[in-house]
Amino acid sequence: MLHENVLMADIDVDQWRNAQALLLRSAKGCRRLVLIHEAGRVLKLRHTQALPVRGPVTVVEDPHQVAKDLYEANQDDVDFVVVMERDAVDSYFAQVQDAWTIEEDLDDYVRKTYAALESFPDGIVTYPGPARETLGLQWRLGASYDEIHAAVRAYVRPQSSVVLGVESDGVLWTSLVIDFDADLRVTSVTTADPSQMDIHGTSAELAERVAAWAEESGKAVSLALLLTHEAATAFLAAAGAQKSEILTKSLANGDALMSRGTASL
């Protein structure tokens, strides 16, 4: 769904930072214990914030049990534990680098990099939760890739744009303006430009203003949706039918406004 050459330009730094905080969880931002070993011999065991490690380990026989034991002994100070065998890590990176082709959609390749972690079930181990759902950047969308793809096909016209925004305390806290090509692949991602539009106002004012700004920039907007920060957080945290219920309720009470598109989401 991501074009191999996605344009990312004219992005407002504050809005982009806020979007990442809302939509992504970074393993690098988590408190974690990292254990690296070579065929069972521990080479490194440390806390990423240099805190003392309870339950030191010198030999790894069962990496899954080691990860669990370390987490339970240090759970007040860590979000997760990762146990990595050095050769397995080298093999993982070689595998994902060899898998890349310039013609491939970026999201397909990224999904492969996470799926490849499952090829090393004993070599790259995390606790709690599997490595595929713990390491790197993880989406906070409350929906699967297939569900998002289906929503795009249902509500986005080919060769059009989607405008998404979040309002907080009378300010456009973040926005995303996403362009799609004829095959509904993302070709461009940007944010509303505060130098070209007023980002202060009520939710209703901001919803219309952002959509109008995108259209004045030459975009054909097929969907424009703005939510309050509270409503956006609740919507993203929900899953399945609950997500639709929250959006319907938010649209009804004014916590979400759709200035372009269909209300039957």
Side-chain angles (χ1 to χ4, degrees), residues 135-150:
L135 299 177
L137 289 172
Q138 298 287 335
W139 288 108
R140 291 172 167 168
L141 299 179
S144 68
Y145 175 86
D146 290 339
E147 288 171 330
I148 295 169
H149 202 179

Side-chain angles (χ1 to χ4, degrees), residues 9-88:
D10 302 323
I11 290 174
D12 179 72
V13 174
D14 291 335
Q15 291 185 50
W16 188 248
R17 180 175 57 246
N18 290 340
Q20 291 186 63
L22 184 68
L23 300 173
L24 295 170
R25 180 186 64 82
S26 170
K28 284 188 175 182
C30 295
R31 304 167 304 162
R32 57 202 187 279
L33 283 182
V34 179
L35 187 154
I36 300 174
H37 67 99
E38 185 174 39
R41 181 172 62 90
V42 174
L43 304 176
K44 174 183 177 180
L45 172 58
R46 63 163 295 177
H47 192 288
T48 51
Q49 296 178 350
L51 298 178
V53 177
R54 293 182 289 276
V57 179
T58 56
V59 176
V60 176
E61 295 181 353
D62 182 343
H64 300 274
Q65 189 63 48
V66 167
K68 182 175 184 292
D69 291 346
L70 281 171
Y71 177 80
E72 292 177 347
N74 298 273
Q75 58 184 318
D76 291 339
D77 298 321
V78 299
D79 297 307
F80 70 88
V81 173
V82 57
V83 177
M84 300 181 288
E85 202 282 321
R86 189 166 68 176
D87 288 343

Side-chain angles (χ1 to χ4, degrees), residues 57-172:
V57 179
T58 56
V59 176
V60 176
E61 295 181 353
D62 182 343
H64 300 274
Q65 189 63 48
V66 167
K68 182 175 184 292
D69 291 346
L70 281 171
Y71 177 80
E72 292 177 347
N74 298 273
Q75 58 184 318
D76 291 339
D77 298 321
V78 299
D79 297 307
F80 70 88
V81 173
V82 57
V83 177
M84 300 181 288
E85 202 282 321
R86 189 166 68 176
D87 288 343
V89 173
D90 289 343
S91 297
Y92 166 77
F93 282 109
Q95 178 175 320
V96 298
Q97 288 169 1
D98 290 343
W100 182 78
T101 62
I102 195 169
E103 298 86 7
E104 187 173 29
D105 283 3
L106 285 178
D107 52 339
D108 288 338
Y109 173 68
V110 171
R111 291 172 72 206
K112 283 183 182 179
T113 67
Y114 283 89
L117 289 166
E118 297 178 349
S119 300
F120 304 90
D122 297 321
I124 304 175
V125 176
T126 59
Y127 188 91
R132 182 175 183 171
E133 299 174 7
T134 304
L135 299 177
L137 289 172
Q138 298 287 335
W139 288 108
R140 291 172 167 168
L141 299 179
S144 68
Y145 175 86
D146 290 339
E147 288 171 330
I148 295 169
H149 202 179
V152 168
R153 292 196 302 270
Y155 301 113
V156 181
R157 297 192 308 270
Q159 293 185 310
S160 72
S161 301
V162 169
V163 177
L164 303 173
V166 175
E167 175 270 334
S168 179
D169 296 326
V171 177
L172 183 64

Side-chain angles (χ1 to χ4, degrees), residues 168-189:
S168 179
D169 296 326
V171 177
L172 183 64
W173 186 73
T174 190
S175 67
L176 290 174
V177 181
I178 307 168
D179 297 342
F180 293 83
D181 66 10
D183 298 318
L184 289 176
R185 295 194 302 169
V186 175
T187 58
S188 173
V189 178

